[in-house]
Amino acid sequence: MSTTSTTGPGKQPGTDGDDQDLGAAGSQLSTAPKEEAPNLPSLGVIGWARWFWRQLTSMRVALLLLLLLSLGAIPGSLIPQDGVDAMKVEEFRDNHDLLAPVYDKLGLFHVYSSVWFSAIYLLLFVSLIGCIVPRTWQFVGQLRGRPPRAPRRLDRLPAYTTWRTAAEPEEVRGAALTLLKKRRFRADAAGDAVAAEKGYLREVGNLAFHIALIVMLIAFAWGQLFKYEGNKLILEGGGFSNTLTQYDDFKSGNLFDPDHDLAPFSFSLKDFHGTYEPTGPNRGTPRVYEAEVTYSEGAYGAEKTKTVEVNKPLEIDGSKVYLVSHGYAPILTVKDAKGDVVMDKEATALLPLDSNATSSGAVKVMDGYRNAEGAKEQLGFNAFFLPTYGGQGSTMLSTFPAPMNPMLALSAYHGDLGVDAGFPQSIYQLDKSNLKEFKDSDGELFKKQLKVGDTMTLPNGAGTVTFDGIQEWAGFQVTQQPGSGWALGGAVAAILGLAGSLFIQRRRVWVRAVRGADGVTVVEMAGLGRSESAKVPEELGDLAGVLYDRAPEPTAPDAAGPPAPDASENDDTPDSPDTHVVPAEGAEK
């Protein structure tokens, strides 16, 4: 007959009293460092160093540093950064006289290279390493060792069952050892009991998560130090060589050397092809958005053809060339007062302002122009281009991104463009400080709308401007981000490790089989898992049921033992062992 023992009220396993009774069986089921009560060290350099190291490598401090790192990245996303857009930083300084000096002192214009952000980053790195190394060593020791021996009182464990059988104790222990190994437990027979343990992958996942964080931190640092990123606007038919002087703007990591680390390659834009949704709610949305380029690697590489699309970059020698923008460049011919050509069908790229490619910019005639009096001057034009003009009376906004009814509006200036003053200026804006407006008959700024083929005649015989046509351009971003593959691998490993540490339960099972005073073998089974594990009782019940079939209760009264009660007198007698879970208050001592 099977008899089921239940645990009564008392202390939960894991308390001080039970730890002494359970011994190694009640030891921690993970390698997480134990939290110790605050105990300030004695005075002395070594004592304070040990105390600081214990605090730094604690889980609490690691989580705090991770939180601080996340909070520190917020101003880097909200405040303009020197390494991303220096012009926006200068604009912010001009518009915020009080905040800008404070931000400068706090390093908020270069957050990711600031002293305080680097300190948090390095402390987190050291904390993770200081936490992982001892835990890894401890885990290796656990793998090389054997499952802990069974405690003296199995009935004190959270999941417990017992029954009597006619089988010999050695047979029961042998069957239990075979069963547990078959269920992928690490099992070992020691003395009168079999000890088994399972769920080591939980700690593997935990360690993998922490190691993956370190890999991500290293990859992030490596990428920031050796990365580069540059942008280039190329007209159809134009080309680009990967040298620093060819970029419109360029930024790189602190350890990147543009003179030696730029990969040697070049490419040219043969054609940009874009089509757009003509009707419906998605009217104007790009359907085809691609650039056909020819490229070559190295100084003497053979030319190859490639179609670059959005999110399908051209990859050359570790660098990636992305298609990031598109626009239009009006082709203009400018003549001076004598009719001499000073700009011969040159295309000037304008920047799009909206999704329908309404564009603006500046046209600058810097050399060769003479006014009606024969004096040398420079010309400047504010340009506003609409690929699809709605017609007279409509707003000065394009109604479609494709050039279906192109119109160019120009306003004219003359004088000194300021390009020779030695100060950098945008090619898309006019510096009007030394420019004078051309005036119309009403004394207002002279301006005119032109269709393809139209000519604008400047006042007082100052010359003409002819709108000859349109050329398209494409904007490319060339990047090299070393360590991105490692960062991605670390992120995937961190997710898998975290999933393993959350869903895999580590637990221990013991089976004790001894001969009782009446000569009948008494079998005890007990299980122990982490406090949040609800799988132990179910798994123990399943194991006990299988083992019970191999070592059932006696079928006839034993001469040395008491007779089995009649089933009709005890309807509650179980056919197989049951498992019971200790209440929250624990088991009786």
Side-chain angles (χ1 to χ4, degrees):
M1 179 188 77
S2 65
T3 32
T4 303
S5 299
T6 59
T7 54
K11 296 187 68 178
Q12 179 78 8
T15 58
D16 294 340
D18 280 325
D19 281 344
Q20 296 176 2
D21 182 49
L22 295 179
S27 60
Q28 273 190 298
L29 292 179
S30 75
T31 59
K34 295 181 180 180
E35 295 289 343
E36 298 179 357
N39 183 20
L40 294 179
S42 59
L43 294 178
V45 177
I46 297 178
W48 282 106
R50 289 177 176 173
W51 177 84
F52 177 78
W53 178 253
R54 289 173 182 172
Q55 299 305 310
L56 180 61
T57 56
S58 66
M59 186 63 65
R60 183 184 297 107
V61 172
L63 293 175
L64 178 61
L65 290 172
L66 191 61
L67 175 62
L68 290 177
L69 192 71
S70 303
L71 294 177
I74 294 177
S77 302
L78 300 179
I79 299 174
Q81 300 293 292
D82 283 323
V84 177
D85 196 333
M87 294 185 65
K88 282 189 176 181
V89 173
E90 292 302 323
E91 182 181 352
F92 186 92
R93 287 194 175 103
D94 294 337
N95 297 333
H96 301 82
D97 296 333
L98 297 178
L99 281 179
V102 177
Y103 285 4
D104 275 321
K105 291 181 179 180
L106 296 177
L108 296 182
F109 291 124
H110 50 89
V111 168
Y112 303 112
S113 59
S114 63
V115 175
W116 57 269
F117 190 87
S118 300
I120 297 173
Y121 188 90
L122 292 175
L123 285 174
L124 177 60
F125 188 79
V126 173
S127 177
L128 287 174
I129 293 180
C131 181
I132 288 174
V133 171
R135 292 184 66 169
T136 303
W137 184 254
Q138 181 182 350
F139 182 62
V140 171
Q142 292 179 359
L143 290 179
R144 296 177 62 183
R146 297 180 177 181
R149 296 172 64 93
R152 181 172 56 86
R153 295 285 303 275
L154 289 179
D155 58 348
R156 293 183 180 274
L157 297 182
Y160 171 79
T161 186
T162 182
W163 72 94
R164 289 149 51 89
T165 178
E168 294 296 323
E170 294 79 7
E171 296 178 11
V172 176
R173 291 194 291 268
L177 186 64
T178 302
L179 172 62
L180 290 170
K181 288 184 176 180
K182 186 177 180 181
R183 296 293 181 92
R184 298 188 300 275
F185 279 84
R186 291 179 66 244
D188 178 65
D192 60 358
V194 174
E197 192 165 5
K198 191 176 185 181
Y200 286 92
L201 286 180
R202 177 189 181 93
E203 190 61 27
V204 172
N206 201 356
L207 294 174
F209 172 74
H210 287 82
I211 294 174
L213 287 182
I214 293 180
V215 172
M216 291 172 63
L217 289 175
I218 295 175
F220 176 76
W222 186 267
Q224 291 298 311
L225 291 173
F226 291 95
K227 74 172 184 177
Y228 81 85
E229 179 181 298
N231 294 286
K232 180 64 179 179
L233 186 151
I234 304 177
L235 295 169
E236 287 180 330
F240 167 79
S241 180
N242 193 30
T243 59
L244 185 61
T245 56
Q246 290 276 299
Y247 284 98
D248 295 331
D249 62 82
F250 183 88
K251 52 182 177 288
S252 63
N254 295 335
L255 299 183
F256 183 85
D257 185 0
D259 296 330
H260 300 91
D261 296 337
L262 283 174
F265 66 85
S266 60
F267 67 91
S268 59
L269 175 63
K270 292 180 60 177
D271 178 61
F272 178 86
H273 181 55
T275 60
Y276 307 89
E277 195 70 38
T279 58
N282 295 323
R283 185 176 186 272
T285 302
R287 299 176 62 181
V288 177
Y289 203 80
E290 59 188 24
E292 184 180 352
V293 301
T294 58
Y295 70 97
S296 61
E297 300 183 47
Y300 307 102
E303 282 196 350
K304 303 176 184 178
T305 301
K306 170 75 174 181
T307 299
V308 182
E309 303 177 45
V310 178
N311 296 325
K312 294 182 180 179
L314 168 65
E315 298 188 27
I316 311 176
D317 196 13
S319 299
K320 294 184 179 181
V321 182
Y322 291 90
L323 174 64
V324 294
S325 58
H326 161 259
Y328 298 98
I331 301 173
L332 301 177
T333 297
V334 180
K335 297 180 180 180
D336 63 9
K338 293 183 178 182
D340 295 333
V341 176
V342 293
M343 178 184 282
D344 187 15
K345 294 183 178 180
E346 289 188 20
T348 303
L350 305 181
L351 297 181
L353 302 176
D354 57 27
S355 59
N356 286 324
T358 303
S359 308
S360 69
V363 179
K364 301 179 182 181
V365 181
M366 294 178 284
D367 299 310
Y369 174 78
R370 291 181 180 271
N371 59 22
E373 287 77 23
K376 289 184 177 181
E377 279 190 321
Q378 294 176 329
L379 295 179
F381 302 90
N382 274 331
F384 201 75
F385 176 73
L386 281 66
T388 302
Y389 178 47
Q392 293 294 332
S394 62
T395 59
M396 290 294 291
L397 294 174
S398 176
T399 60
F400 198 73
M404 300 174 63
N405 183 27
M407 187 273 288
L408 176 66
L410 295 176
S411 55
Y413 299 83
H414 64 99
D416 183 6
L417 293 172
V419 294
D420 301 323
F423 298 102
Q425 61 175 248
S426 172
I427 63 173
Y428 304 105
Q429 293 179 340
L430 290 179
D431 181 3
K432 301 176 185 177
S433 56
N434 295 313
L435 291 176
K436 297 179 182 180
E437 298 178 351
F438 281 105
K439 302 291 185 178
D440 59 15
S441 56
D442 297 328
E444 301 293 335
L445 172 64
F446 181 76
K447 52 190 176 182
K448 189 173 182 179
Q449 296 179 0
L450 305 174
K451 292 187 176 182
V452 176
D454 290 350
T455 298
M456 178 175 72
T457 301
L458 299 175
N460 304 320
T464 61
V465 181
T466 302
F467 181 23
D468 295 307
I470 309 166
Q471 191 171 356
E472 296 185 74
W473 59 261
F476 296 90
Q477 184 179 79
V478 184
T479 66
Q480 179 176 289
Q481 186 76 37
S484 57
W486 284 97
L488 177 61
V492 173
I495 294 174
L496 295 177
L498 183 62
S501 65
L502 291 177
F503 297 110
I504 298 176
Q505 298 295 337
R506 190 169 174 185
R507 59 269 190 199
R508 292 167 181 162
V509 173
W510 294 274
V511 181
R512 173 174 287 141
V514 295
R515 192 177 302 279
D518 55 1
V520 178
T521 300
V522 178
V523 182
E524 291 182 290
M525 289 189 70
L528 178 67
R530 293 179 64 88
S531 59
E532 71 273 11
S533 174
K535 191 174 182 179
V536 173
E538 300 174 7
E539 189 169 32
L540 185 69
D542 179 47
L543 292 171
V546 175
L547 186 60
Y548 180 81
D549 292 338
R550 301 181 184 181
E553 60 183 292
T555 56
D558 193 282
D566 185 72
S568 61
E569 298 179 2
N570 187 5
D571 294 335
D572 295 331
T573 301
D575 294 330
S576 62
D578 295 329
T579 57
H580 298 265
V581 182
V582 175
E585 294 299 325
E588 180 179 327
K589 290 189 62 176

